[in-house]
Amino acid sequence: MNYSNLISDKMLGVKASAIREIFKVAGQPDVISFAGGLPAPESFPVAAIKEICNKILDTEPVVALQYGISEGYAPLKKLVLERMQKKENIGSEHDDIIIVSGSQQGADLTAKVLLNEGDGVICEEPSFIGCLNTFRTYNATLYGVPMNEDGMDLNVLEDTLKKHPNVKLIYTIPTFQNPSGITSSLAVRQGILRLAQQYGVMILEDNPYGELRFSGEPVPTLKSLDTTGQVIYLGSFSKVFSPGLRLAYLILDKGIMEKFVVGKQATDVHTNVFSQMIAARYLEDYDIDSSIAKSRELYRHRCHLMLSCMDQYFPKSVTYTRPEGGIFIWATMPDGVDSGKLMLEAVERKVAFVPGNAFMTDVDAPSHCFRLNYSTMSDEKIEKGIEILGTLLSERL
Amino acid sequence: MNYSNLISDKMLGVKASAIREIFKVAGQPDVISFAGGLPAPESFPVAAIKEICNKILDTEPVVALQYGISEGYAPLKKLVLERMQKKENIGSEHDDIIIVSGSQQGADLTAKVLLNEGDGVICEEPSFIGCLNTFRTYNATLYGVPMNEDGMDLNVLEDTLKKHPNVKLIYTIPTFQNPSGITSSLAVRQGILRLAQQYGVMILEDNPYGELRFSGEPVPTLKSLDTTGQVIYLGSFSKVFSPGLRLAYLILDKGIMEKFVVGKQATDVHTNVFSQMIAARYLEDYDIDSSIAKSRELYRHRCHLMLSCMDQYFPKSVTYTRPEGGIFIWATMPDGVDSGKLMLEAVERKVAFVPGNAFMTDVDAPSHCFRLNYSTMSDEKIEKGIEILGTLLSERL
């Protein structure tokens, strides 16, 4: 059967993520992969999760295995909201929380609730490929705003808002951004908020890495600065607990929450109850902050090792970000060098990374940038891989 | 902030499910609820799941807790496909399987891949409110085809296809349908297939209850009769294992699978890995068929008890289906009696059910039908609740 006439317009244009193909190569055991974006498996609290599973299945098995409600498991909602109020000063009396099946679903629900086909979404350029693809599956028009060292270029942001009245949403990862590692300054955050208010658009603040700061001073979340209900805050358990359990949450104004609940219900009824209970028990009975502190130390060490190897082996014409947290470094080669071609050569030498074009609104335009991930590699592999990459770069530039 | 200008057209029209409001009442401890659609909690294999969790966390914790792939956990895909090939003769060399986070997500992905706004979906009338709402969130136009005793009225189906060239999908629950309990005959299934081929539309075969047959003879699934790749088969673990774990699967032609994978990736990246591993181990190391056989016995008993109480207490002017499996009975009162009003009176007498309008393409039109669920109630409550309902019906009719 020929399905081509049956496929929706919005899905016709969406391609399988280029990263997926890279991962097939990067997953080979002899390849040193800086392509991924996974948390370090050492950070998973396996023993605690095992204790918790036994406790849940001994005491409340039916709650864990029966249908739940679309808003999420009530004790988890309460624990997360209290923690976020304390940590980030977010979640006022106007706000409520909904548990979702991972951050990607948070972006999907936001798109479902807000976007008609053709509506505009402003994103940082570069930005997280996964959420850009989510917006593409709603036939949204993406407008990229280039990133400076302190976040989105506010002049371009304002011009974009002025020029495109179809924009309904600004998508930002303000802290340790994927893929750039950049943290938006307080001034940029305030500027984004001001412009969102002025132009009447919403902001999706995607903050999966916010708790992984290993140097510098914290910057307030946009949500904590939001007085008008403009910000939809998206937090995640994937980088601080476990991504396999698919747990994230949206904190947003009660005035629009009902549509998110209805959307969630129509999408997958509710998030896995057993996993929600595991996370709730973990927050209640264990010390997540000390577990996160350990991850931070690990990532600090790996990031600094990678940066010092890059300082040593990379030609001076390659510049890169020096993140204060998170799991990504963004490298920029001289104009005109194609990181896609470089990646193919690197893979031949058994090193993988993700070329910059994957994170752009126009994925077909070559990019002279690339993303490096340091969260899961051993010291030895970081040193060896960066040396190989540095040699390749020196030969080509 | 006023969000009304920001909400997407497709979500503006979708209301919180009427059933949710009923469930708030039905969930009160002194109410006898025939409103639900939950599997019997006695059927959850708690001890096995506990053993499995310990085994997984002892031997493969990182696989369970790390990111997985969008297609699903490979061993689970293989086990389910083999089981379905054996049980239902479905899944040819043209087909592949993708694991999804519950049946609702299977319908959501199908809608995402196939439907532009305004495209038509033909559904049985009445049909499962959850999936109707999913299609509504894509701004699909729903066309209801009335159910006869043996399934969709094929003449109306053909007329609808003829009249509405915007139709892309026929949604059917052919076996122990929700809400009617009706099983489509082989002739109706063949007729639906023939018409789908003739008019070039797809079929979503939603079969969560198919294994819960407690009397009569099995009827082949549409997918097993499909020679042209027209049928997307949606199977679920919710009624035969656990709904809280949110596990279902789509079996469909490889020619269109890539779009489902991309859609899944953009929706929630992948389904909970830990839960997928639990289900895989259960299929491999335990006897799911004997567990399902026990559920069938339980549902047979409860269904027959409810029917015999209805025979005893309901006025003769009320007719009802006599399901051969599944968890629902559909009752029809004389024309003009409003089951919505009756429900309010029943709730005052501490009995709950779902009025028929909830399952219609036009939820605002009053219905003289209602749905009764028998899967989770004790014998005593079934007897008492049906007696109360019978008394109320006798007073009102």
Side-chain angles (χ1 to χ4, degrees), chain B residues 254-318:
Chain B
K254 285 174 184 163
I256 200 174
M257 181 55 94
E258 190 214 336
K259 291 295 177 192
F260 280 80
V261 175
V262 173
K264 171 73 179 165
Q265 192 173 29
T267 302
D268 66 354
V269 190
H270 64 80
T271 292
N272 189 302
V273 186
F274 190 28
S275 291
Q276 291 188 72
M277 291 174 81
I278 293 171
R281 287 251 179 189
Y282 188 72
L283 286 177
E284 196 151 48
D285 298 342
Y286 296 79
D287 185 359
I288 192 172
D289 292 322
S290 104
S291 164
I292 294 172
K294 278 183 210 151
S295 298
R296 274 198 291 257
E297 281 314 302
L298 191 65
Y299 296 152
R300 178 210 311 272
H301 170 77
R302 288 179 176 167
C303 179
H304 289 173
L305 177 64
M306 185 173 273
L307 285 169
S308 76
C309 292
M310 290 165 79
D311 294 344
Q312 185 179 349
Y313 296 114
F314 275 23
K316 294 298 159 242
S317 59
V318 180

Side-chain angles (χ1 to χ4, degrees), chain A residues 128-179:
Chain A
F128 171 47
I129 181 175
C131 284
L132 299 192
N133 273 342
T134 299
F135 301 133
R136 289 184 180 113
T137 63
Y138 285 84
N139 246 349
T141 305
L142 296 176
Y143 302 108
V145 171
M147 291 287 271
N148 294 325
E149 270 177 30
D150 59 348
M152 264 196 256
D153 186 313
L154 291 178
N155 291 325
V156 180
L157 175 59
E158 178 147 24
D159 285 349
T160 309
L161 284 163
K162 216 176 277 174
K163 213 164 126 188
H164 301 288
N166 64 328
V167 168
K168 269 195 181 164
L169 181 68
I170 300 171
Y171 172 65
T172 176
I173 310 165
T175 306
F176 320 133
Q177 200 235 18
N178 178 5

